[in-house]
Amino acid sequence: MHSSEHPTPNPHPSPTRARRAWSAAGIAAVAALALSGCADAAPDDDGGTSTSARATAPADLPTGQVALDGDTSDVVTGLEAPWSVVRTGDDGDALVSERDSAKVLELQDDGTTREVGTVDGISHGGEGGLLGLALHDGDLFVYSTADDGNRIQRFELTGSAGSWALGDATTIIDGLPSNTFHDGGRIVFGPDDMLYASVGDAGTSSDAQDEDSLAGKILRLTPDGDVPDDNPFDGSPVWSLGHRNVQGLGWSSDGTMFASEFGENTLDELNVIEAGENYGWPEVEGEGGEDQGFVDPVQQWSTDDASPSGLTVVDDTVFVANLRGEVLRAIPADDPSTSTEYFPGDFGRIRTVLEGPSDTLWFVTNNTDGRGDPAAGDDRIVSVPLTGAAG
């Protein structure tokens, strides 16, 4: 079975990029710009290695867009298979999930980490484990793999910065399809204050087309795990279907929902998600499904060039982290058939990305997950300045 996360065959691929136009009216010319120089490695204070690179923003950055511009710096090093990061405030304090250790770590503003707690009952192996995190009204929501399937739990988060601890757990939903691959795992609260969760097809691709199965779906739930009355399928948490393995979710300022999705052997996708729509898997991989009633991606890439995992939207620029492609992409929300590439091959596999403090972007490497080529100090969270962001 082909892995959903596309193991990296070598540490520095030289890919050819493929893309799709935003509309059927024509094919847009897309220039993928690699805007980083060569990465430099230097000893850090702990005797490890600090990897740095530089990004240069385009001179004609459109109004409303942001770009990376400046030298990277390590926020923290020495993480083990980090999967999700959520910031707890306006400074550098954040919570980090480690997939294989089942630990939730607190990243403190000074760059040190401490253990907040361990999530019990996790079934380890392959792509499963401790996956997505989301914060809502002072509680920590956690997506993880248990013996009887994937689940989402809500933990009371006690304490404050420097002393966070996990309180009691409440199960929001459990028994979600699971496997050692295609587990989905991203959870995010949308602008409507609802909980969105990506569930992979768990290796049974036909289930993605079955409205009665939760495999291969994006779900929408209330914070208590109830089905909202305005979901597209009566009494069902399913928001959209026909997905293989979505691992990135985010919204632009006008409410457009974006999702990044692993393909199988040919094409990975960036999709615009609408309630009740079908995105084609396994009948279609990439574009070409509109005549069958499916929604085509707004951008697609060769699986060698992408393996898109986490995404975030900052001032209507969609940033997508890529594992096998070892690159960070920036995509204008109003022209999502185009993209700019940053740091190709400089940091290895990139698992996720998020807005950092003080007009920065953070991205998270994933070279210790068994499929990468770890450098000294991996895995790490890397910070890079943003230009064009509101001050």
Side-chain angles (χ1 to χ4, degrees):
M1 182 67 189
H2 187 82
S3 167
S4 71
E5 296 191 1
H6 311 317
T8 305
N10 62 74
H12 301 294
S14 178
T16 301
R17 315 294 177 184
R19 291 175 181 79
R20 178 195 178 274
W22 166 243
S23 69
I27 302 297
V30 179
L33 304 177
L35 295 182
S36 70
C38 296
D40 296 320
D44 63 21
D45 291 340
D46 297 324
T49 300
S50 175
T51 300
S52 64
R54 182 172 180 82
T56 302
D60 56 348
L61 185 65
T63 301
Q65 299 296 315
V66 295
L68 307 186
D69 191 36
D71 293 324
T72 64
S73 59
D74 286 341
V75 177
V76 64
T77 60
L79 301 174
E80 293 290 335
W83 211 92
S84 182
V85 179
V86 290
R87 291 175 52 219
T88 59
D90 294 331
D91 56 14
D93 193 87
L95 301 177
V96 182
S97 65
E98 289 191 329
R99 186 191 69 187
D100 298 338
S101 71
K103 293 178 181 177
V104 176
L105 304 179
E106 180 182 4
L107 169 62
Q108 300 179 100
D109 198 30
D110 62 1
T112 60
T113 61
R114 54 174 295 273
E115 185 175 331
V116 173
T118 300
V119 178
D120 293 331
I122 287 185
S123 177
H124 298 282
E127 296 169 13
L130 177 57
L131 303 178
L133 303 177
L135 285 169
H136 183 266
D137 287 347
D139 292 328
L140 181 67
F141 287 71
V142 174
Y143 188 114
S144 65
T145 309
D147 288 339
D148 59 352
N150 287 311
R151 62 190 178 179
I152 301 173
Q153 296 170 290
R154 182 180 66 224
F155 288 84
E156 180 185 4
L157 196 60
T158 63
S160 59
S163 64
W164 294 120
L166 297 182
D168 293 336
T170 300
T171 299
I172 298 301
I173 190 171
D174 59 6
L176 298 173
S178 66
N179 205 323
T180 56
F181 45 79
H182 306 190
D183 284 294
R186 195 65 62 185
I187 51 176
V188 185
F189 279 89
D192 55 2
D193 207 37
M194 295 295 172
L195 175 64
Y196 292 78
S198 67
V199 183
D201 70 9
T204 305
S205 58
S206 59
D207 284 350
Q209 289 296 319
D210 182 354
E211 291 182 12
D212 294 326
S213 170
L214 299 186
K217 308 297 191 297
I218 295 174
L219 308 184
R220 179 176 180 257
L221 297 161
T222 71
D224 291 325
D226 297 325
V227 175
D229 291 339
D230 58 348
N231 270 15
F233 306 105
D234 189 37
S236 171
V238 172
W239 187 248
S240 62
L241 66 156
H243 299 291
R244 183 172 182 268
N245 197 30
V246 168
Q247 285 190 2
L249 300 170
W251 288 261
S252 60
S253 61
D254 66 359
T256 300
M257 182 180 180
F258 291 91
S260 52
E261 181 166 350
F262 292 89
E264 188 175 25
N265 296 311
T266 308
L267 294 168
D268 295 326
E269 302 177 356
L270 178 70
N271 285 297
V272 167
I273 303 300
E274 296 183 2
E277 294 292 349
N278 190 325
Y279 290 81
W281 175 255
E283 304 303 321
V284 180
E285 182 178 356
E287 65 178 330
E290 289 183 346
D291 291 345
Q292 303 174 60
F294 302 130
V295 178
D296 276 354
V298 295
Q299 190 165 167
Q300 64 184 26
W301 308 275
S302 162
T303 55
D304 286 343
D305 302 344
S307 295
S309 190
L311 70 75
T312 194
V313 186
V314 182
D315 288 2
D316 289 340
T317 299
V318 182
F319 291 94
V320 180
N322 294 270
L323 292 165
R324 189 173 185 178
E326 299 188 351
V327 70
L328 184 66
R329 286 190 171 93
I331 299 161
D334 61 359
D335 187 15
S337 65
T338 65
S339 66
T340 300
E341 295 177 359
Y342 294 95
F343 314 125
D346 288 345
F347 294 93
R349 294 161 61 82
I350 304 176
R351 168 63 67 183
T352 193
V353 59
L354 66 153
E355 187 173 4
S358 305
D359 291 345
T360 61
L361 190 79
W362 286 4
F363 60 91
V364 183
T365 70
N366 223 195
N367 298 311
T368 61
D369 69 347
R371 292 175 172 168
D373 183 19
D378 277 346
D379 273 311
R380 63 190 74 231
I381 299 175
V382 181
S383 177
V384 61
L386 285 166
T387 187

